[in-house]
């Protein structure tokens, strides 16, 4: 045990091993500002001289500790390890120990850290240029141009500025500024002081303030710059308007890509002329929408009267998205069965290209009968819908406009052209019509059929067909048939001749009695069918024949 | 040899999906700017697909896995703001990367300008949006005042660090390949993929 010379306190040492006389460095801390990486510590014992320190480092890929060049056996209590060319996003481990002679203290290991995370944003560099009522800023990002720490952040810094008048009141004004920017609304011939610091929003890093710089604004310029720039738009053009105190001036306007503002450095040469706004005599200028593709731009205006030119006006930010104009839609009407179908189409630009309208649009449709004045309004999101239950054969008119109805942002287009269309006859009358037509056809068919039947009847009655059926033809000759058919009307009469006279009369009386039997016989035996049919007449002839026969017997 | 039809086909599908998912962004706590933000973001994504005429097959050989950090895209993000900030960070880095483009012949000047303008717009809206939220957030004000106190407030922003490392890999890749045409093509496709996945995560988060 050793008695410590200081104040009588006893320091108990642990095992007397090699290198354990010394205590490790205390209060070891890492300070990183921009690219300067410094390890600081304090020796355990300020009064002991001839103590040196060494620092080692370790990176993830290599397992061993590596001696930090320039920080071996140094007497100072800090070490700059900026030159290590570390990847600032990788973990690093450091350790430090004290040495005296042959004794070494135990290593003090610093918790592993990521340089980028530990890094503090240093002060930016500020250059100033004075105008009469404004100060032009030129801010260089923290660190050097080849900064390793901020290599990926050169355009990511956002800057905030504090400015005040150097006089007694010193009211401070804070603004967020671009690397190349202007502070407006200052008074001429006044001293202003300001300081700027950079910020990385996502990493929650706030930088150190730059040293305060002061500047005097100049004498007031003869010609003030144009003020109060407003940018409006209509369907085809953008209109820039501004105010100016004096008459008879000519103006010109320039524009700049918005994104260029994020880059430090000069872009005075990047401003471009607005061709339609060169040397305009009025305090406004109009240029077509096609000049700018979608994006954010800055616009500035300058006045001149031949001899003198004013300074540039305030740079007005101009966003085509916010200035967007909704064009009125195209309407197509189609009358269908007593209702009206409406098609809302996308508007077309003059060159017949259909316009890209990606916002969700709501349509306000005005709808009225042509003859009446009352209009009904409905809001619709669909582009294809139908008005039902309309009066048939009436003319209805429709006009519509497109709206964007979002929180805090209302925009509407102009009304489209009015389109009118007559509704078709209604459902019921139409069905009647169809029914009527069908019935008429049926009736016609029926009439035709009836007429055909009648005609056949008439034909049958008055103009019969004279042809007998063919079966009959087979059995009868044509001639016989004719006779049979025709003999109904005319009959042939046979002539009878008496052959015997009176002698025969008595015989005839007897024979009369016998004749009666003969008559019977005659009637029975008469074979002549044809003669039978006319019995009265033929029997006479038959009798005569019998008499003849009797006579012969 | 151009694989343009394939690339376009591959792009249309995610672009459409993003279009559908874009509505997810609208509900995050920013005011009407969200409408513009979503529109602009989608347009930028589309532009990233369209700005190149052809993706040569030979460039595929130089393809490298950049290992987009999946934790950022996980749906277990407790705070919606985290992913919006991640998106802001990705937008800034993409903006920085495209600002370095000097290879004149491959991409048309107007497309390059448009993507820079578009990303600038996206950044502008995101910044305004985050600023608004910050003003509402009392905690942030305390940090603003303590300018000298360096980030002992190690609120673990590890997800952002991972994102940074990812973009650092992309940056180094470009430098290694000396900003060749193929390197730019690969980077363009990679950034598009990153945006798409971030937007998808935002939309999915919103549904929770």
């Amino acid at each position: 045990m050793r008695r410590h010379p200081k104040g009588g306190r006893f320091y108990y040492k642990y095992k007397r091993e090699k290198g354990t006389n010394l205590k490790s460095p205390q209060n070891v801390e890492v300070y990183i500002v921009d690219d300067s990486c410094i390890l600081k510590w304090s020796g355990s014992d300020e009064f002991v001289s001839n103590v040196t320190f060494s620092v080692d480092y370790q990176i993830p890929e290599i397992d061993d500790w590596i001696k930090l060049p320039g920080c071996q056996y140094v007497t100072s209590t800090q070490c700059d390890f900026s030159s290590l060319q570390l990847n600032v996003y990788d973990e690093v481990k450091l350790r430090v120990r004290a040495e005296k002679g042959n004794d070494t203290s135990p290593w003090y290991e610093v918790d592993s850290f990521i340089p980028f995370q530990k890094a503090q944003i240093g002060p930016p560099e500020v250059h100033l240029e004075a105008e009469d009522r404004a100060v032009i800023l030129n801010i260089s990002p923290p660190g050097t141009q080849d900064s390793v720490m901020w290599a990926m952040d050169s355009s990511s810094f956002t800057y905030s500025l504090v400015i005040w008048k150097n006089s007694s009141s010193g009211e401070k004004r804070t603004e967020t500024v671009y690397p190349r920017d202007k502070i407006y609304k200052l008074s001429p011939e006044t001293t202003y002081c300001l300081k700027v610091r950079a910020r990385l929003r996502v990493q929650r890093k706030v930088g150190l303030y730059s040293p305060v710089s002061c500047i005097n604004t100049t004498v007031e310029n003869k010609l003030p710059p144009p003020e109060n720039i407003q940018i409006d738009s209509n369907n085809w053009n953008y209109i820039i308007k501004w105010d100016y105190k004096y008459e008879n001036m000519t103006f010109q306007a320039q524009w700049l890509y918005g994104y260029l503002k994020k880059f430090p450095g000069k872009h005075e040469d990047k401003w471009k002329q607005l061709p339609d706004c060169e040397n305009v005599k009025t305090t406004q200028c109009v240029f077509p929408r096609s000049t700018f593709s979608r994006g954010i731009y800055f616009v500035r205006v300058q006045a001149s009267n031949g001899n003198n030119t004013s300074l540039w006006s305030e740079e007005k930010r101009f966003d085509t998205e916010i200035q967007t104009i909704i064009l009125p839609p195209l309407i197509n009407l189609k009358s269908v069965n007593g209702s009206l179908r409406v098609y809302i189409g996308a508007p077309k630009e003059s060159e017949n290209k259909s316009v890209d309208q990606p916002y969700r649009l709501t349509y306000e449709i005005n709808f009225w009968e042509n003859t009446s004045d009352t209009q009904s309004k409905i809001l619709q999101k669909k582009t294809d819908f139908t008005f039902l239950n309309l009066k048939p054969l009436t003319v209805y008119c429709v006009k519509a406009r497109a709206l964007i109805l979002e929180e805090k942002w209302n925009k509407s287009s102009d009304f489209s052209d009015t389109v009118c269309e007559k509704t078709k006859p209604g459902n019921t009358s139409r069905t009647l019509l169809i029914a009527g037509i069908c019935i008429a056809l049926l009736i016609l068919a029926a009439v035709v059929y009836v007429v055909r039947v009648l005609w056949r009847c008439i034909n049958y009655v008055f103009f019969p067909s004279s042809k007998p059926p063919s079966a009959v033809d087979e059995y009868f000759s044509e001639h016989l048939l004719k006779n049979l058919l025709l003999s109904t009307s005319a009959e042939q009469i046979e002539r009878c001749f008496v052959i015997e006279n009176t002698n025969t009369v008595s015989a005839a009386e007897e024979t009369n009695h016998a004749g009666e039997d003969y008559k019977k016989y005659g009637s029975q035996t008469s074979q002549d069918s044809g003669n039978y049919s006319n019995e009265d007449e033929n029997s006479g002839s038959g009798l005569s024949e019998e008499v003849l026969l009797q006579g012969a017997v | 040899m151009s694989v343009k039809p394939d690339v376009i086909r591959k792009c249309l599908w995610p672009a459409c999906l993003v279009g559908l998912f874009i509505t997810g962004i609208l509900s995050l706590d920013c005011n009407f700017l969200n409408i513009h933000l979503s529109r602009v973001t989608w347009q930028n994504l589309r532009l990233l697909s369209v700005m190149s005429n052809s993706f040569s097959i030979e460039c595929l050989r130089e393809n490298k896995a950049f290992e987009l950090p999946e934790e950022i895209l996980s749906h277990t993000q407790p705070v919606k703001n985290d992913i919006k900030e991640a998106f802001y960070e990705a937008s800034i880095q993409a903006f920085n990367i495209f600002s370095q483009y000097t290879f004149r012949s491959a991409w048309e000047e107007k497309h390059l300008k448009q993507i820079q303008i578009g990303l600038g717009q996206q950044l502008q809206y995101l910044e305004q949006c985050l600023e608004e939220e910050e003003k509402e957030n009392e905690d942030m004000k305390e940090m603003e005042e303590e300018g000298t106190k360096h980030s002992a407030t190690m609120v673990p922003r590890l997800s952002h660090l991972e994102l940074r490392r990812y973009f650092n890999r992309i940056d180094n890749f470009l430098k290694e390949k000396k900003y060749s045409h193929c390197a730019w093509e690969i980077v363009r496709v990679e950034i598009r993929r990153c945006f798409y996945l971030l937007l998808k995560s935002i939309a999915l988060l919103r549904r929770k």
Side-chain angles (χ1 to χ4, degrees):
Chain A
M1 291 210 221
R2 284 185 57 191
R3 181 178 281 195
H4 198 274
K6 202 175 188 180
R9 275 164 117 193
F10 287 90
Y11 278 78
Y12 291 90
K13 290 288 178 188
Y14 302 107
K15 302 175 268 177
R16 258 191 174 252
E17 276 185 34
K18 178 185 174 187
T20 52
N21 277 345
L22 292 176
K23 274 199 112 182
S24 313
Q26 312 276 308
N27 306 322
V28 186
E29 274 187 47
V30 179
Y31 290 98
I32 305 183
V33 177
D34 293 338
D35 287 295
S36 116
C37 310
I38 295 172
L39 183 69
K40 279 188 186 166
W41 60 88
S42 58
S44 55
D45 193 352
E46 295 94 4
F47 295 95
V48 179
S49 58
N50 297 334
V51 178
T52 58
F53 304 94
S54 298
V55 181
D56 286 350
Y57 74 97
Q58 190 179 40
I59 47 179
E61 290 99 46
I62 304 167
D63 276 335
D64 276 333
W65 287 95
I66 309 168
K67 291 194 184 300
L68 225 162
C71 293
Q72 300 296 310
Y73 305 108
V74 292
T75 48
S76 63
T77 54
Q78 69 175 49
C79 168
D80 187 329
F81 58 97
S82 325
S83 54
L84 270 182
Q85 305 275 332
L86 299 166
N87 182 344
V88 295
Y89 304 112
D90 279 344
E91 276 186 13
V92 165
K93 270 204 260 186
L94 293 174
R95 66 179 186 182
V96 64
R97 71 172 178 194
E99 299 115 0
K100 186 179 180 187
N102 279 335
D103 289 336
T104 55
S105 70
W107 286 107
Y108 181 98
E109 265 187 47
V110 180
D111 294 332
S112 86
F113 63 95
I114 298 169
F116 181 76
Q117 271 196 321
K118 269 223 182 251
Q120 164 106 55
I121 303 177
E125 215 179 289
V126 182
H127 291 291
L128 300 173
E129 212 181 295
E131 288 183 355
D132 59 341
R133 290 180 181 276
V135 167
I136 301 177
L137 288 172
N138 189 359
I139 305 174
S140 310
T144 60
Q145 257 204 334
D146 316 319
S147 167
V148 176
M149 191 62 69
W150 314 125
M152 293 171 69
D153 292 296
S154 50
S155 323
S156 323
F157 288 112
T158 53
Y159 300 94
S160 80
L161 168 141
V162 181
I163 190 169
W164 63 93
K165 274 190 206 171
N166 206 13
S167 58
S168 51
S169 63
E171 199 185 86
K172 295 192 176 185
R173 198 170 103 192
T174 312
E175 272 182 36
T176 309
V177 292
Y178 289 112
R180 290 279 298 182
D181 214 340
K182 263 178 159 182
I183 318 287
Y184 297 102
K185 299 185 176 56
L186 303 177
S187 324
E189 294 180 278
T190 327
T191 311
Y192 286 94
C193 295
L194 52 87
K195 56 181 184 179
V196 182
R197 66 177 176 187
R199 232 185 111 191
L200 280 178
R201 178 184 303 280
V202 175
Q203 282 75 24
R204 307 280 196 273
K205 284 189 195 291
V206 182
L208 300 166
Y209 271 115
S210 67
V212 175
S213 358
C214 295
I215 193 166
N216 291 331
T217 47
T218 61
V219 175
E220 188 164 357
N221 211 358
K222 284 189 200 135
L223 292 177
E227 282 181 346
N228 202 15
I229 299 183
Q230 305 282 339
I231 305 184
D232 286 321
S233 47
N234 62 27
N235 283 355
W236 310 276
N237 301 315
Y238 292 114
I239 305 159
I240 311 181
K241 292 187 188 149
W242 57 88
D243 297 334
Y244 203 72
K245 250 195 251 178
Y246 304 125
E247 308 281 324
N248 291 334
M249 308 293 288
T250 51
F251 303 94
Q252 60 162 335
Q254 285 185 341
W255 65 276
L256 179 76
Y257 285 114
Y259 71 86
L260 285 174
K261 281 279 201 186
K262 293 194 82 62
F263 299 120
K266 278 190 180 290
H267 36 73
E268 196 57 31
D269 52 334
K270 303 246 170 65
W271 285 92
K272 298 185 187 172
Q273 289 292 124
L274 263 175
D276 298 300
C277 295
E278 271 195 78
N279 299 324
V280 291
K281 299 271 183 188
T282 55
T283 56
Q284 72 165 43
C285 105
V286 178
F287 56 96
R289 290 180 76 87
S290 54
T291 316
F292 290 123
S293 57
R294 63 166 184 93
I296 296 179
Y297 302 88
F298 284 91
V299 171
R300 65 182 187 183
V301 184
Q302 185 183 54
S304 89
N305 67 357
N307 293 333
N308 299 314
T309 45
S310 74
L311 295 167
W312 286 105
S313 67
E314 272 190 45
E315 289 158 11
K316 177 83 177 168
R317 184 197 285 139
F318 161 50
D319 189 346
T320 57
E321 302 285 316
I322 295 177
Q323 293 283 350
T324 194
I325 283 284
I326 315 173
L327 293 172
L330 292 176
I331 302 185
N332 229 332
L333 284 185
K334 195 168 151 188
S335 80
V336 174
N337 263 351
S339 54
L340 215 55
R341 195 157 175 198
V342 183
Y343 298 96
I344 300 183
K348 293 202 183 324
E349 280 185 10
S350 51
E351 304 102 48
N352 236 8
K353 274 189 301 179
S354 91
V355 173
D356 186 23
Q357 300 262 287
Y359 297 105
R360 288 185 305 192
L361 295 171
T362 315
Y363 298 98
E364 180 191 301
I365 298 130
N366 285 14
F367 175 72
W368 68 97
E369 270 179 66
N370 201 14
T371 46
S372 83
D373 272 335
T374 47
Q375 297 192 2
S376 60
K377 286 189 196 193
I378 58 167
L379 288 176
Q380 260 281 8
K381 284 205 171 160
K382 291 190 268 187
T383 54
D384 179 4
F385 58 94
T386 317
F387 286 112
L388 296 167
N389 298 326
L390 300 176
K391 293 188 230 164
L393 296 170
T394 335
V395 178
Y396 285 94
C397 292
V398 172
K399 70 176 180 181
R401 63 178 177 171
L403 305 168
I404 294 181
L405 295 173
E406 303 276 354
E407 243 181 69
K408 296 191 190 176
W409 194 43
N410 284 331
K411 261 206 184 264
S412 64
S413 73
D414 293 334
F415 272 107
S416 65
D417 295 330
T418 307
V419 179
C420 295
E421 183 86 13
K422 190 172 190 180
T423 49
K424 291 210 176 132
N427 258 341
T428 48
S429 57
R430 192 184 193 155
T431 39
L432 274 176
L433 190 70
I434 292 171
I437 290 172
C438 287
I439 289 171
L441 284 171
L442 276 172
I443 290 176
L444 190 67
V447 162
V448 165
Y449 178 70
V450 162
V451 164
R452 275 187 69 192
V453 166
L454 276 175
W455 182 249
R456 254 196 252 146
C457 282
I458 290 169
N459 254 348
Y460 183 74
V461 168
F462 292 105
F463 306 103
S465 162
S466 54
K467 201 161 186 241
S470 55
V472 182
D473 240 338
E474 288 172 26
Y475 290 101
F476 294 95
S477 70
E478 202 178 350
H479 190 66
L480 193 58
L481 265 170
K482 273 195 187 154
N483 281 343
L484 278 171
L485 285 168
L486 290 171
S487 66
T488 50
S489 50
E491 250 185 329
Q492 284 183 338
I493 296 168
E494 272 188 344
R495 281 190 184 185
C496 295
F497 294 98
V498 173
I499 303 172
E500 289 182 20
N501 33 22
T502 54
N503 286 345
T504 55
V505 167
S506 59
E509 278 181 16
E510 279 177 74
T511 54
N512 275 346
H513 293 288
E516 285 175 24
D517 297 324
Y518 288 127
K519 265 197 186 170
K520 284 184 193 168
Y521 271 112
S523 58
Q524 286 171 358
T525 57
S526 176
Q527 297 287 322
D528 200 5
S529 67
N531 281 340
Y532 243 174
S533 56
N534 298 317
E535 200 179 338
D536 290 335
E537 296 158 47
N538 285 344
S539 60
S541 61
L543 190 62
S544 65
E545 282 179 60
E546 292 303 318
V547 170
L548 284 168
L549 282 167
Q550 287 260 327
V553 170
Chain B
M1 226 186 336
S2 148
V3 288
K4 182 179 169 189
D6 286 334
V7 172
I8 286 185
R9 245 180 274 128
K10 261 188 254 169
C11 299
L12 276 181
W13 163 235
C16 290
L17 254 191
V18 167
L20 291 172
F21 284 141
I22 276 301
T23 50
I25 294 184
L26 293 179
S27 76
L28 296 176
D29 299 333
C30 285
N31 51 18
F32 80 104
L33 281 174
N34 263 321
I35 310 162
H36 302 293
L37 179 60
S38 62
R39 168 154 143 84
V40 163
T41 320
W42 182 39
Q43 281 177 335
N44 288 341
L45 201 59
R46 200 169 51 185
L47 192 59
L48 280 170
S49 308
V50 160
M51 64 199 280
S52 160
N53 282 330
S54 63
F55 187 93
S56 335
I57 286 188
E58 38 205 61
C59 289
L60 281 176
R61 258 186 274 129
E62 305 200 26
N63 198 12
K64 182 180 162 165
F66 294 106
E67 293 156 44
L68 176 63
E70 296 292 321
E71 310 89 70
I72 291 181
L73 312 172
S74 79
H75 313 323
T76 58
Q77 284 278 351
V79 183
K80 276 185 185 171
N81 233 24
D82 270 355
I83 198 142
K84 211 197 292 185
E85 285 186 342
F87 188 55
Y88 177 60
E89 176 77 11
S91 307
I92 292 179
Q93 295 306 329
F95 180 73
N96 285 340
I97 285 175
F98 280 108
S99 313
Q100 297 175 57
Y101 183 77
T102 49
F103 196 87
R104 288 292 160 208
S105 55
W107 296 342
E108 282 183 48
E109 184 74 31
K110 65 169 183 181
H111 281 146
L112 183 68
K113 267 276 180 287
Q114 199 58 59
I115 194 75
Q116 283 188 295
I117 295 173
L119 285 172
Q121 253 184 315
Q122 196 170 310
L123 281 175
Q124 178 67 43
Y125 296 143
L126 278 166
E127 262 170 32
Q128 278 179 259
C129 197
L130 290 171
E131 246 176 53
E132 292 248 349
E133 282 177 8
E134 227 177 72
K135 280 178 191 161
E136 291 165 11
N137 211 336
E138 288 293 318
D139 302 319
M140 294 302 138
K141 281 184 185 167
E142 289 171 37
M143 292 191 61
E144 289 255 24
E145 283 153 34
E146 305 278 87
T148 48
K149 188 176 169 188
H150 68 89
S151 340
T153 48
M154 296 247 267
V155 180
R157 299 249 150 241
L158 286 177
S159 55
H160 300 317
L161 196 67
E162 278 305 319
L163 197 60
R164 210 157 244 274
R165 286 191 182 130
Y166 166 72
F167 277 102
N168 195 28
R169 287 192 283 272
I170 294 180
D171 221 14
N172 288 339
F173 171 76
L174 273 173
K175 287 195 180 90
E176 246 178 80
K177 301 286 179 184
K178 298 196 174 43
Y179 299 93
S180 72
H181 165 60
C182 277
W184 274 112
E185 284 292 318
I186 290 168
V187 164
R188 174 186 68 82
V189 169
E190 183 64 34
I191 290 180
R192 188 187 72 196
R193 178 173 159 259
C194 170
F195 273 11
Y196 167 64
L197 290 170
L198 275 169
L199 291 172
K200 194 169 111 175
S201 287
I202 291 174
L204 287 170
L205 256 181
R206 181 234 173 193
R207 276 160 216 271
K208 284 202 158 178

